Amino acid sequence: MSTALLRRALRRPGAGVGCSAAGCPRVDVLVIGGGISGVQIARHCAARGLATLLVEKEDFGSGTSAATTKAIHGGLRYLEQGDIPVVVESLRERRLLGLAAPHLVQPRSFLLTAYDWSTPRAPILGAGVGLYEALALGRNRGILRDLRARRPRWVRREELLTQVPWLKREGLVGAWRHDDSLNLHPERLLLAILQSAVDDGAVALNHARVTGLLPAPQRGVRVRDELTGESADIQAEVIINAAGPWAAEALGVEAQRNGVAVAQSKGVHLMTRDLGNTDGVYVRGANGHHIVVNPWDGRQLIGPTDTPMDGSPDDARAEVSDIELLRETFDSVAETPLRREDVVDTLVGVRPLLMSGDSTYTSSRRFDIIPGQPGVYTVLGGKWTTGRAMGEKVSAEIIAREAGLPPTKRISAELPLHASMRGYSTMSEALDAAVRAAPHLGLGREQREHLARMYGEDHVRILGLVAEHPELGQPLEPQKPQAAGASGRGCLDCAAQVVYAVEAEGACTLRDVVDRRLSLGTRRAVSAEALDAVCRVLATVLGWNGTRLREEREAYSAAQRGRAEILDQGFACPSSALS
């Protein structure tokens, strides 16, 4: 195997892969794909005691798993479809995520708005919310006191307009308010789950592309190190392809023989400035399209779209038509149209849709396990909220099928999560403890709370870096006075997080660090000043020369400019001309 890959692998001290008789690295289970599905499957296989290796062609969580509305939800919309089992499972998993990661999963109220022209009507919406809450009975059991959900209630028109100042008044009836959960930092939560797998002995490799299956009678894959170009063969008793939209690509020419075909649906969000609402808002536009307007970290997310797409998911981009659809939907229920200056950036993800005539449909009815040639399985479907249940069921079913796997141990539904801030009675108590840690460092309360929420108990490792090198406590994006009428705040990330991203979290590129280890890139539209600050640290930690720094920085900046240009085009005509 590439020595560079092994050097940067996420693994606990002493963990590693075995060696086959032929000299190839060998594992019990090899998981393809570092999104939430692959990470949860790897976690459950490792927790059962199987030698597990996860490989991801780009970076952990770099695909669909990062392009979310940042909600952990029970699937209220499934009630309209009559799919009660889906809702029950989602509600159970929502609670388990809240127990496992209280620093990253917190309550979020959502308002289901009703107009006199919209459907379903307000009484039907209320009945749906009532059933939803009844199915979630016991959701607060074991949850920290200040993170418990409130009862749903009806919000009258005038009160609603004070809470959501941008809503169109004409025809507005009111809204039903209910509590779901906010996925505060999906990238960090995914890394915490992955680190949990590593704690149990798994090894995880990013920037490691599977280029094909090994020829029979071998079981395994060929992997190419995307940063060095080196390749290696890895043997595995079982291969689980959880690459999502890239599932067919991961199997290459074997995809058709294994019965794997994937249709793709693109989901686009607009990220805007703070629009004034502190609760999430579900609304159906006059065009019949549903959107969620969800406040997050001084920003708002508006979306998603759901449009079919062809070609490689690597090429997924927000297009003018996507932006126009979101504008048309939002503007039809807004008092004033959305303006270009309101929009910070776009966010794009690709959902995999199953196209298979022969599959094993699991009891959750949200994902499929498709058996291919001996020892090879493809898993399609699943979502953030139910990823744990999917990982548990996939690992159990495949273990039951594969006699060649060693005996495994049983695991609990309440697996401990790496560095989770448990053991407190309230989240406020946990954050207060974080603020009191290492008081001599001089970091402000807001920055300390930010680090505790991002890293859980591991925030002390960031503080340790600052203690050794005080200059690493400097913010990457210095706070600036807010202009009159402006809202939100700047980014609270510091230079120590960049060092930690490389040394402890497998980050290899500028995008790995900015977009998936820090909060900086998740807030989009990263300033030149902040990019320069990150690059200065990376030059030292990774030993990059001037050429490598310029290439990485220009590639990041070019991608930002491209998204901005599409936004400009998407706002080129007035919203009145879109309908």
Side-chain angles (χ1 to χ4, degrees), residues 345-462:
D345 211 327
T346 57
L347 195 64
V348 185
V350 181
R351 309 177 190 92
L353 304 177
L354 182 70
M355 290 176 59
S356 172
D358 183 18
S359 66
T360 300
Y361 209 48
T362 71
S363 59
S364 77
R365 301 194 65 78
R366 268 194 314 284
F367 64 89
D368 280 334
I369 302 174
I370 308 168
Q373 64 192 64
V376 179
Y377 300 87
T378 294
V379 178
L380 288 175
K383 62 174 185 174
W384 247 109
T385 303
T386 55
R388 188 214 63 83
M390 186 202 67
E392 180 181 52
K393 291 175 182 178
V394 168
S395 61
E397 182 164 336
I398 290 175
I399 287 168
R401 287 170 177 243
E402 292 292 331
L405 289 174
T408 61
K409 58 186 178 183
R410 293 184 178 274
I411 56 174
S412 166
E414 296 186 17
L415 287 172
L417 191 69
H418 177 86
S420 181
M421 300 185 78
R422 303 175 76 173
Y424 298 92
S425 59
T426 66
M427 194 63 217
S428 295
E429 180 185 333
L431 293 176
D432 284 343
V435 168
R436 292 193 300 271
H440 62 284
L441 295 181
L443 302 179
R445 181 182 184 92
E446 196 174 19
Q447 189 174 14
R448 285 172 174 271
E449 288 189 355
H450 170 72
L451 293 175
R453 284 204 177 275
M454 291 274 285
Y455 298 89
E457 296 292 355
D458 274 354
H459 78 278
V460 296
R461 300 177 67 180
I462 306 293

Side-chain angles (χ1 to χ4, degrees), residues 39-51:
V39 165
Q40 286 282 22
I41 291 169
R43 184 195 185 192
H44 280 79
C45 288
R48 290 174 180 271
L50 297 173

